[in-house]
C-alpha cells in the first residue's frame, strides 16, 4: 500500500492511563508504541487524539453513588459504561506515553471534555450529533484515506474508525498498532472488529504500508 498526501494517520488516545501502570490500561498499550512510531514516520499527515475528562466526568463510576467500574447507567444519550477515573485534565494519566515519538503530528484533537456526555470517537460525542470538527478539518486538508492506530480498538479506535468510514473516508485500522481493553475471544475487542468490518473498515498490518 502506497501512501500520499491524501492519507492521514490518526493515533488514538496513546496516553499513560491507557498503558501499563495507568488507570484504565489496555492489555498491550506499551507494546504498540514502537509500532506506531515506526509506521508514523511514513505519513506526512499525523493527527493525535487525547481523551480529556474533567474531574467528576459522567463516565466515571465514582460520579455515580453505589456504582462500580464496568457497571452501566442509562443517560439521556443512551447507555453509559462506567470506568475508573481516567485521563483527568492536566494529570500524568492524561499525558501522551513518554515513548510516543511523532514530532511531525499536525493536530491534537481533544474529546470527552464535556462533563455530562462521553466521547469515544474523536469525530463526535456519543449522542452521535455533537461534533468535534475533525471531519471538516480532514476534508479541508484534502484527506481521502484515514489510517487508525492506538487505544483501544474496543472503544475509541473502533468508534473513530466507524465514524470515518460513515463520513466517506476510505478507512483502515492497523491491527498491530492497536491495543485492546479486553482481547478475550467474544469480548469487546472481538465485537468491535466485527462492527467496524460491517461499517466498511479494512483491517491491515503495519507491514502492508510501504
Ligand atoms: C477509552 C474507555 C473510556 C478509549 C476512553 O480510549 O478507548 N475507553 N475512555
Ligand atoms: Zn474516557
Amino acid at each position: 500500500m502506497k501512501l500520499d498526501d491524501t492519507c492521514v494517520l490518526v493515533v488514538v488516545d496513546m496516553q499513560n492511563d491507557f498503558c501499563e501502570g495507568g488507570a484504565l490500561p489496555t492489555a498491550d498499550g506499551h507494546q504498540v508504541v514502537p509500532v506506531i512510531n515506526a509506521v508514523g514516520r511514513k505519513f506526512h499527515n499525523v493527527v493525535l487524539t487525547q481523551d480529556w475528562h474533567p474531574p467528576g466526568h459522567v463516565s466515571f463510576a465514582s460520579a455515580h453513588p453505589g456504582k462500580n467500574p464496568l457497571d452501566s447507567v442509562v443517560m439521556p444519550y443512551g447507555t453509559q459504561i462506567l470506568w475508573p477515573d481516567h485521563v483527568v485534565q492536566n494529570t500524568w494519566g492524561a499525558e501522551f506515553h513518554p515513548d510516543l515519538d511523532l514530532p511531525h503530528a499536525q493536530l491534537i484533537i481533544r474529546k470527552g471534555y464535556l462533563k455530562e456526555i462521553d466521547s469515544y470517537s474523536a469525530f463526535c460525542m456519543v449522542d452521535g450529533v455533537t461534533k468535534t470538527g475533525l471531519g471538516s478539518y480532514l476534508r479541508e486538508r484534502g484527506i481521502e484515506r484515514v489510517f487508525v492506530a492506538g487505544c483501544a480498538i474496543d472503544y475509541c479506535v473502533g468508534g473513530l474508525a466507524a465514524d470515518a468510514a460513515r463520513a466517506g473516508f476510505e478507512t483502515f485500522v492497523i491491527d498491530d498498532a492497536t491495543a485492546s481493553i479486553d482481547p478475550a475471544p467474544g469480548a469487546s475487542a472481538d465485537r468491535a472488529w466485527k462492527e467496524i468490518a460491517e461499517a466498511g473498515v479494512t483491517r491491515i498490518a503495519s507491514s502492508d504500508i510501504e
Side-chain angles (χ1 to χ4, degrees), residues 20-192:
E20 212 175 35
L24 178 46
T26 52
D28 44 356
H30 57 292
Q31 290 165 12
V32 302
V33 173
V35 182
I36 292 173
N37 290 340
V39 80
R41 271 181 208 106
K42 301 179 176 176
F43 285 83
H44 290 166
N45 301 312
V46 177
V47 169
L48 309 179
T49 78
Q50 191 174 28
D51 205 26
W52 190 252
H53 298 316
H57 188 249
V58 65
S59 75
F60 296 172
S62 62
H64 304 269
K67 295 288 183 185
N68 294 306
L70 301 184
D71 288 348
S72 48
V73 287
V74 177
M75 298 301 296
Y77 53 80
T79 301
Q80 171 73 53
I81 306 177
L82 299 176
W83 304 108
D85 291 20
H86 63 282
V87 299
V88 175
Q89 294 167 358
N90 282 333
T91 64
W92 171 84
E95 289 171 18
F96 290 112
H97 190 286
D99 297 335
L100 189 69
D101 186 18
L102 297 169
H104 59 308
Q106 298 161 339
L107 175 74
I108 298 173
I109 185 142
R110 288 175 169 165
K111 64 192 175 68
Y113 44 73
L114 297 179
K115 193 169 177 182
E116 299 306 330
I117 185 165
D118 207 2
S119 184
Y120 289 143
S121 160
F123 282 96
C124 72
M125 318 290 149
V126 290
D127 61 5
V129 189
T130 314
K131 308 281 186 190
T132 63
L134 179 60
S136 302
Y137 169 85
L138 295 176
R139 290 261 177 256
E140 283 200 30
R141 293 288 321 280
I143 299 298
E144 293 168 8
R145 288 190 281 167
V146 175
F147 294 75
V148 196
C151 300
I153 185 62
D154 331 30
Y155 298 98
C156 294
V157 170
L160 178 135
D163 276 354
R166 281 193 282 263
F169 298 101
E170 198 182 350
T171 307
F172 306 86
V173 174
I174 308 171
D175 193 351
D176 53 323
T178 300
S180 4
I181 289 181
D182 190 349
S188 49
D190 248 11
R191 290 200 299 271

